Amino acid sequence: MHAQTDLRTDWTRAEAEQIYCQPFNDLMFQAHSLHRRYFDPNAVQLSKLSNIKSGGCPEDCGYCSQSARNGSALPASKLVEVEKVLAEARKAKAGGATRFCMGGAWRSPKDRDMATLEAMVQGVKMLGLETCMTLGMLDDFQTRRLKAAGLDYYNHNIDTSERYYPQVITTRTFADRLATLARVRDAGIKVCAGGIVGMGEMQMDRIDMLLTLATLPAHPDSVPVNMLIPMPDTPLADAPPLDPLEFVRTIALARVLMPKSHVRLSAGRSAMSAELQAMCFFAGANSMFVGDKLLTADNPDESSDADLFRRLGIRAMEFGAEAAE
Ligand code: SAM
Ligand code: DTB
Ligand code: SF4
């Protein structure tokens, strides 16, 4: 298959639905063939998350333990010191991560925090790691400052379909999310955008979420697919568990619609068997978070991931590896 014909931003809903709903083996074959066409199928990119400002968030995201509106609310912390972040980043690098992703529980960063955020980006970059931040909505000025500081990636998820979105978040709109993504893209920062499944959405919501991402002016460079981690006391604490094969189908559809993007098997791995994760890698996932903490929730520890990689013959992707032409 030729690169030009694979990289489409004009996918239709009918096409996406047909891909997602075909017999499982056909979907896996299609997704894995594309995966091999563009990537080393045995290499997985490793990112490490760091919670640089936790809790007390004014947004009402129904899945999140850091919202001040949820019963579970974590106490709000201040923005952590640059040195602490750099110490974590050094550890992450020693553990094999190539990207360091700094998350802030904010609706959007305050201008008074920008100098500290810039120092974090510069410091982490100096360590030889790719930098990523996820801080909520950005305005033009903040976006330009982060770009100038050397930020490589900005993560901002659309979370679900436009239709289901108001059931999950009411304090910012789907359109707000797209506007931040456009700003980031236009500033020349690489876009990391994905969402969450297992929030009680329907199959069509999973398909439409990916369709929205795949029909942006350019595919996000990185597409995190999170399985909901039901956090105690949040509105989604009792969401019905998703059929794991639906999760694999979601990964596979992301791979087919956005064949040159890094698709991240993101939150939720602690609750997944080795077999389910193996299926996700076969379906086209080639990135994940390492280390025993995500932002507030647990993630598999280094030794269980080392064991998983050994059993699957998977190795860590090299720094900055891109899709083949
Ligand atoms: N406050 C910023 C924002 O929302 O843009 C950045 C941090 S926020 C925690 C980043 C993303 O993590 C969310 O958009 C969501 O997709 C994902 N996430 C948060 N809590 C989750 C959970 N319990 N399970 C799965 N994914 C989750
Ligand atoms: C993304 O898509 N998933 C990450 C990252 N981007 C910021 C966050 C996962 C958070 C999981 C829940 C927690 O740790 O509180
Ligand atoms: Fe705040 Fe982000 Fe959590 Fe939403 S997902 S409540 S914006 S920290």
Side-chain angles (χ1 to χ4, degrees):
M1 246 180 284
H2 192 266
Q4 298 308 320
T5 53
D6 291 341
L7 270 194
R8 290 178 45 198
T9 55
D10 63 350
W11 294 102
T12 65
R13 183 160 202 294
E15 286 173 318
E17 192 176 349
Q18 183 274 322
I19 295 165
Y20 186 100
C21 296
Q22 66 190 310
F24 189 78
N25 284 340
D26 293 339
L27 173 59
M28 293 296 269
F29 183 72
Q30 183 182 14
H32 189 71
S33 305
L34 278 163
H35 190 188
R36 265 179 192 270
R37 158 79 181 78
Y38 290 109
F39 290 102
D40 175 344
N42 302 309
V44 170
Q45 188 275 329
L46 307 182
S47 290
K48 176 75 181 80
L49 276 167
S50 169
N51 204 352
I52 60 170
K53 191 266 156 201
S54 61
C57 184
E59 302 292 286
D60 70 352
C61 311
Y63 46 77
C64 187
S65 61
Q66 304 201 78
S67 166
R69 299 165 186 246
N70 290 341
S72 65
L74 290 179
S77 81
K78 293 213 176 94
L79 182 57
V80 308
E81 290 145 38
V82 177
E83 263 319 311
K84 270 198 175 162
V85 174
L86 297 185
E88 265 190 56
R90 272 182 216 108
K91 264 203 215 156
K93 186 168 184 196
T98 58
R99 189 176 311 160
F100 193 68
C101 181
M102 296 160 265
W106 281 313
R107 174 174 169 82
S108 54
K110 305 275 177 306
D111 287 342
R112 64 167 184 265
D113 295 320
M114 290 308 295
T116 309
L117 296 170
E118 286 165 333
M120 288 177 185
V121 171
Q122 286 156 355
V124 171
K125 238 180 140 62
M126 294 258 290
L127 298 174
L129 286 159
E130 291 180 309
T131 52
C132 178
M133 281 184 161
T134 178
L135 313 169
M137 295 186 279
L138 294 182
D139 64 26
D140 283 330
F141 185 58
Q142 294 169 332
T143 313
R144 278 199 300 272
R145 283 184 68 168
L146 292 173
K147 170 69 184 169
L151 185 68
D152 297 303
Y153 287 83
Y154 195 76
N155 165 251
H156 198 62
N157 290 342
I158 60 169
D159 281 350
T160 187
S161 68
E162 187 168 12
R163 189 195 66 85
Y164 196 60
Y165 185 94
Q167 305 292 312
V168 181
I169 302 132
T170 68
T171 50
R172 76 170 78 151
T173 66
F174 197 76
D176 290 333
R177 301 251 182 183
L178 297 180
T180 293
L181 290 177
R183 259 185 210 111
V184 169
R185 189 172 56 241
D186 293 348
I189 300 173
K190 290 185 185 159
V191 171
C192 173
I196 313 179
V197 300
M199 298 196 293
E201 76 284 345
M202 297 198 291
Q203 192 176 71
M204 77 172 174
D205 297 307
R206 293 186 283 279
I207 296 171
D208 283 345
M209 172 178 88
L210 293 178
L211 192 60
T212 296
L213 296 170
T215 56
L216 291 171
H219 295 165
D221 301 271
S222 164
V223 181
V225 182
N226 296 279
M227 177 78 109
L228 175 73
I229 303 178
M231 302 303 283
D233 298 326
T234 59
L236 286 168
D238 299 316
L242 180 68
D243 172 1
L245 296 180
E246 287 289 310
F247 185 78
V248 181
R249 281 184 186 272
T250 307
I251 297 268
L253 180 62
R255 172 52 65 225
V256 175
L257 297 183
M258 296 169 278
K260 292 177 80 170
S261 302
H262 286 79
V263 175
R264 181 167 310 120
L265 169 54
S266 200
R269 289 197 303 113
S270 285
M272 293 180 196
S273 67
E275 298 89 317
L276 174 55
Q277 293 180 71
M279 243 187 234
C280 291
F281 293 134
F282 190 81
N286 60 350
S287 170
M288 66 182 208
F289 289 120
V290 288
D292 59 8
K293 263 266 167 299
L294 293 166
L295 289 170
T296 70
D298 290 343
N299 196 47
D301 65 21
E302 206 176 321
S303 71
S304 61
D305 279 342
D307 187 50
L308 178 71
F309 275 23
R310 182 188 53 73
R311 290 165 72 196
L312 298 176
I314 285 180
R315 59 185 181 284
M317 197 179 279
E318 279 174 30
F319 179 92
E322 304 242 359
E325 277 313 310

